[in-house]
Amino acid sequence: MGAGVALSPEERREVEAILRLKEVPGLGDRGIRELVLKHGSADRALRALGIQGSLLPAPSPLPGEGWKARGTEVLPLTSSRYPGRLKELKDPPALLFLRGRMELLHRPAVAIVGARAASEVGRRVAEAMGRLLAGAGAPVVRGLARGIDAAAHAGALRAGGDTLAVSG
């Protein structure tokens, strides 16, 4: 998203509603997703639950200018800009924090994952796979772990390819 796309007023309301729903003990992203599907939006789910400002503590702060200055964006699950393939996961995150080129999330990609305590051979193979796949135009998705993940990422970068890093 590099240049930064401002949240629409509706997206902002959804982010605020999701942050409030996250304050409900035991709800989690799966519960939030089920409520959003049932009620059509996080804002409507919040109202349907009868949760008003006095029932829960104030939500975590909404990402403001400090986040934007670092190039970070936030998207609620209900946003039309939220990646469709990510929505298809069993438990997609209710809020997605992004930094970089969002269009990569809409392209076919390959994930290379493995042991953190990888052997030298494993790291070399992962690095070569990352380099070859990225060189062929496939963004390489990785976790932020050492070992195989890091080697695949390094290989993709050496090939001048695109990478996506995912943090839980």
Side-chain angles (χ1 to χ4, degrees):
M1 293 183 77
V5 177
L7 289 174
S8 70
E10 181 179 314
E11 287 172 330
R12 186 174 187 84
R13 273 192 309 279
E14 284 295 287
V15 169
E16 290 171 349
I18 288 170
L19 288 171
R20 290 200 96 37
L21 288 169
K22 282 184 166 289
E23 299 293 330
V24 176
L27 188 57
D29 281 349
R30 180 180 292 168
I32 291 171
R33 182 174 181 271
E34 289 172 6
L35 286 170
V36 166
L37 288 174
K38 179 178 179 182
H39 297 286
S41 77
D43 189 49
R44 285 194 290 275
L46 197 61
R47 288 195 309 254
L49 291 175
I51 298 174
Q52 301 301 322
S54 63
L55 295 178
L56 291 174
S60 307
L62 183 63
E65 296 308 312
W67 288 67
K68 287 191 181 295
R70 291 190 303 270
T72 301
E73 299 290 337
V74 60
L75 282 180
L77 178 65
T78 54
S79 172
S80 62
R81 296 182 297 134
Y82 194 99
R85 289 185 311 168
L86 196 54
K87 278 185 182 179
E88 293 172 10
L89 293 175
K90 181 179 178 184
D91 292 322
L95 293 175
L96 189 60
F97 294 86
L98 308 158
R99 188 182 318 172
R101 295 176 25 228
M102 186 173 169
E103 73 271 8
L104 293 177
L105 295 172
H106 299 285
R107 287 178 37 197
V110 62
I112 301 174
V113 295
R116 288 188 171 124
S119 68
E120 182 59 32
V121 170
R123 285 191 298 275
R124 282 196 311 249
V125 168
E127 191 272 340
M129 288 175 62
R131 192 174 58 250
L132 291 169
L133 290 163
V140 174
V141 181
R142 66 171 285 250
L144 295 174
R146 294 179 296 247
I148 297 298
D149 291 29
H153 183 76
L157 292 174
R158 281 190 189 99
D162 293 316
T163 66
L164 296 147
V166 178
S167 175

